[in-house]
Every structure is written in structure tokens, then in C-alpha cells.
Amino acid sequence: MTEEIKSPAVPGLSRRTFLTAAGGTMAAAGLLSAGLATPAIAQAKKVRVGLGLNYGPFNQPWRRGCYTLLKKVVELGGEAVTVRGTPSKQSEQDSARSLLDRDIDVLVLGIYSLESETAYLVDEAKKRNIKTVGFAVPVKDSPFVTEDTYGTGATLSYHVLNVTGRQGTFVQTAESKGFYTPFDQEADQFSLMASYEPRMKVLPFVSGSVSTQDQISKGRENALALLQANPEPGSLTGIISWWWPLTIGAAQAMQQMGRTDVRIFNHYFSNQLLEEMVKPNSPVEFSTDVPWHLMGEQVAEIAIKLGRGETVPPYQSRVPVTAITKDQAGQALAEVQKMDEEAIAFLKDYGG
């Protein structure tokens, strides 16, 4: 006799919190329409799920996703197999190759390497009868769960357009082009939306290095140069930062220069970002986020289904967009701190 396993939320958090979907839209509709949102069915077979832990000190959202992914695998009766790496495409591909030799049933691929970059791993997995699933990235002939990239781009962009009256001069920053594709897509989306507004000007993109480097310092250095190049009050309206360490650096540069005329809009939560955002005099006034903990749970459910021989279509699913204003940062900070504490405690047993 089988028993349906419910899909509990992370302890102490509800699906109405800021970590989930403050935007209120069910952007995971792809998951629902594909029939993938129903929890996996507990059976006797112990499915071994392989996951590379390639996050670094700046990748707190990614760490939260790994936590709920592995936790859900265990809750559903599976076994988690992990390899520790660093945040880079090469490291995550090396981790995946290593996991193929660990007697796993399912390999989770993500988050930097695109479909074309992991196709050889999928082909090798098929030879060994190992199923594959994508964690934040497309994976060849496989189901995958991602952030709602274009939903995020639209959410932040519409907010900027509204609060600035669709006028002013803006600059965007994120990690180096090609390092994390969603950042490139979101930056392109803002530029496209602004191009239809005659009173808006978007300066050239400012590269913020990669996650293996000190990106807070890089963000401060970039913002200082930007502010020095635009010294007159009002010459620069806003900084759109798609990655939180660069946001922190930009806020530090503004404080160092004594500037209060530039508004900062952020993507991605972290403890440090939200601690900055709650300060009354902080220029960080709005932030979107990705509920990676939901993404992790959904990937785990799919992995268990695949490992037990169930058919899961190779469709893309996506998690909702979270968005907060400055007055909501305190509640979001408390939730993030709680989940990060849980994630660190859980992942230490898996090399995380």
C-alpha cells in the first residue's frame, strides 16, 4: 500500500512569506500544467540523487535551494549524494562527472552551465541509465525548473519605470556577461523596455566580475568610477543591480562620496543585502528575489519520480517572482536569516 507524501514547507515558513511569491502570481504554472507539482509517491526503492554543491560565499540563494532539494529527497525516501565544488561552469561539470561514478539514479545539473554545455553529460548519463533533471538551467531532453527570468526582469523594470516617471539616466550592473545567463536576459529586458521611453537613457552595462572574486569591492570600485564620471546631482537617476554583492558595493560608494541623489534597485536577497536595505538612509529601495527553496523542492520531487521510473515530460517549470519595497525588508530579513541557519546546519553533513 502506498501513501501520498505531502510537500511540507520549510519549517516555520509559509508560502505567503516574502521568500516565496510576494508578487502573488502562480508563475509555476508550467509545473502545474505538466502535472509535476503533485508530490512523489513513496515506494520501497531508495533513489540515489546526485547534486553538486558548487555555491560560494556570495551564493546564499543557491545554498537555500540546495538545502531544500536535499531535504526533500530525504523526506521522500531517497538518498542524497553530493560533491563539493566552486561556483563556476567548469567546477559544476567536474562535479557532475564525479557523481556519474557514484552509483546514482538521478543526476541534478545546474546552475551555470547551459544545455549545450552539459549535453555530453546527459549522453553519458543515458549510457549508464541515469536520469537527468535541470536545477535553474535547461538540460537536454530533461525536465527542469528555473527562476522566472523574464517575470523578474519585467517586475523590476516596471517598478523602476513607475517610480521614476519613465525618465532619467540609468546604469545596469551584474556579473560578467556570459557567466550567469539570467542576468544577461534581465539586463537586456530592462534596456528593451527603456528604449521605448523617450525620456529614459541607459548607459553602457558595467561588468561586476564573477562569484569567485570579491564582488562587493568590485561593485564599490565600479560605482565610485560611475559617480565620479557623473558628479552633478541628478546626472544619474538610478543603478539597477542584478546581483546583491554589487548592490552593497554601490551603496558603500554612495556613502563614501556623500551622494544621496541616486536610487538603487536590486535583485536577489541575502542577509547582508537586507541588512543594508532596512537602514533608513540606505539608497536600496526595491528588490526582487527568486524563491530558490521552492525550486529545490520541485527539482527533488521530479528527481524522485524519475528515479522510480515514472514518466516526467521534458518541460520547463518556473517558480514565482518575489518583490519587496524598503518597508518590507525587515520581515524578509528575519525569514532569510532563519532559513540560512537551517541550511548551514543541514548541509554540513553533506560537505556544504
Side-chain angles (χ1 to χ4, degrees), residues 297-318:
E297 287 184 347
Q298 292 175 9
V299 170
E301 290 171 353
I302 294 171
I304 293 297
K305 284 176 176 282
L306 290 171
R308 289 177 177 159
E310 298 183 40
T311 300
V312 183
Y315 294 163
Q316 175 182 9
S317 305
R318 61 196 186 280

Side-chain angles (χ1 to χ4, degrees), residues 236-286:
L236 183 64
T237 308
I239 298 173
I240 293 91
S241 173
W242 296 102
W243 186 221
W244 74 263
L246 304 173
T247 306
I248 296 291
Q252 292 175 351
M254 285 187 60
Q255 293 158 7
Q256 182 175 332
M257 295 286 290
R259 294 282 291 270
T260 60
D261 60 308
V262 182
R263 310 169 77 164
I264 299 182
F265 308 92
N266 174 75
H267 179 45
Y268 270 124
F269 290 174
S270 73
N271 293 338
Q272 193 169 350
L273 181 279
L274 293 168
E275 288 169 354
E276 169 64 32
M277 193 172 175
V278 298
K279 297 176 183 176
N281 61 344
S282 173
V284 184
E285 62 179 75
F286 182 81

Side-chain angles (χ1 to χ4, degrees), residues 8-13 19 51-53 55 59-75 80 82 135 292-297 300 335-350 352:
V10 175
L13 294 175
L19 277 177
L51 173 67
L53 302 179
Y55 52 82
N59 307 121
Q60 293 175 24
W62 185 358
R63 182 177 64 195
R64 290 192 287 272
C66 290
Y67 157 51
T68 54
L69 195 161
L70 296 178
K71 185 171 181 287
K72 178 61 68 175
V73 165
V74 174
E75 287 175 352
T82 60
F135 184 30
W292 276 75
H293 58 296
L294 297 185
M295 193 190 309
E297 287 184 347
E335 294 174 7
V336 167
Q337 287 175 328
K338 185 177 188 301
M339 184 173 287
D340 280 344
E341 289 174 0
E342 294 171 353
I344 291 168
F346 182 89
L347 290 169
K348 68 180 181 180
D349 293 333
Y350 293 92

Side-chain angles (χ1 to χ4, degrees), residues 14 53 61 67 76 119 156 187 205 208 229 238 283 288:
S14 75
L53 302 179
Y67 157 51
L76 294 174
L156 195 151
F205 177 84
T288 47

Side-chain angles (χ1 to χ4, degrees), residues 16-279:
R16 295 183 63 82
T17 64
F18 289 118
L19 277 177
T20 54
T25 59
M26 187 53 188
L31 184 72
L32 295 174
S33 64
L36 308 182
T38 55
I41 304 300
Q43 296 178 0
K45 185 181 185 328
K46 202 172 188 67
V47 177
R48 287 170 57 85
V49 178
L51 173 67
L53 302 179
N54 297 294
Y55 52 82
F58 292 126
N59 307 121
Q60 293 175 24
W62 185 358
R63 182 177 64 195
R64 290 192 287 272
C66 290
Y67 157 51
T68 54
L69 195 161
L70 296 178
K71 185 171 181 287
K72 178 61 68 175
V73 165
V74 174
E75 287 175 352
L76 294 174
E79 182 178 352
V81 183
T82 60
V83 171
R84 193 68 174 99
T86 58
S88 70
K89 291 184 179 185
Q90 188 61 56
S91 180
E92 67 184 20
Q93 290 176 43
D94 291 343
S95 298
R97 279 194 293 267
S98 176
L99 286 164
L100 288 174
D101 296 325
R102 301 292 180 91
D103 191 29
I104 60 173
D105 301 293
V106 184
L107 174 64
V108 178
L109 291 168
I111 69 163
Y112 290 127
S113 300
L114 301 181
E115 181 171 349
S116 61
E117 297 168 319
T118 59
Y120 75 100
L121 291 167
V122 175
D123 292 340
E124 185 60 34
K126 284 181 179 179
K127 294 177 185 177
R128 307 181 188 202
N129 200 31
I130 296 171
K131 306 296 185 180
T132 50
V133 57
F135 184 30
V137 290
V139 172
K140 178 183 177 182
D141 300 330
S142 307
F144 59 102
V145 185
T146 69
E147 62 183 276
D148 188 355
T149 303
Y150 296 112
T152 298
T155 299
L156 195 151
S157 297
Y158 275 126
H159 178 83
V160 173
L161 267 61
N162 284 334
V163 299
T164 63
R166 291 169 169 74
Q167 58 186 312
T169 301
F170 302 86
V171 67
Q172 297 189 89
T173 186
E175 293 183 310
S176 300
K177 290 283 189 179
F179 185 69
Y180 185 56
T181 301
F183 290 156
D184 300 345
Q185 295 170 314
E186 289 151 352
D188 287 347
Q189 186 165 353
F190 177 80
S191 295
L192 176 63
M193 292 173 68
S195 71
Y196 288 91
E197 303 295 337
R199 295 179 297 168
M200 292 184 73
K201 177 182 179 181
V202 181
L203 300 178
F205 177 84
V206 177
S207 179
S209 72
V210 298
S211 290
T212 52
Q213 299 172 347
D214 183 352
Q215 293 181 303
I216 293 179
S217 295
K218 182 63 174 176
R220 183 172 60 250
E221 173 189 324
N222 287 345
L224 284 171
L226 182 68
L227 294 170
Q228 290 165 355
N230 297 273
E232 296 299 322
S235 57
L236 183 64
T237 308
I239 298 173
I240 293 91
S241 173
W242 296 102
W243 186 221
W244 74 263
L246 304 173
T247 306
I248 296 291
Q252 292 175 351
M254 285 187 60
Q255 293 158 7
Q256 182 175 332
M257 295 286 290
R259 294 282 291 270
T260 60
D261 60 308
V262 182
R263 310 169 77 164
I264 299 182
F265 308 92
N266 174 75
H267 179 45
Y268 270 124
F269 290 174
S270 73
N271 293 338
Q272 193 169 350
L273 181 279
L274 293 168
E275 288 169 354
E276 169 64 32
M277 193 172 175
V278 298
K279 297 176 183 176

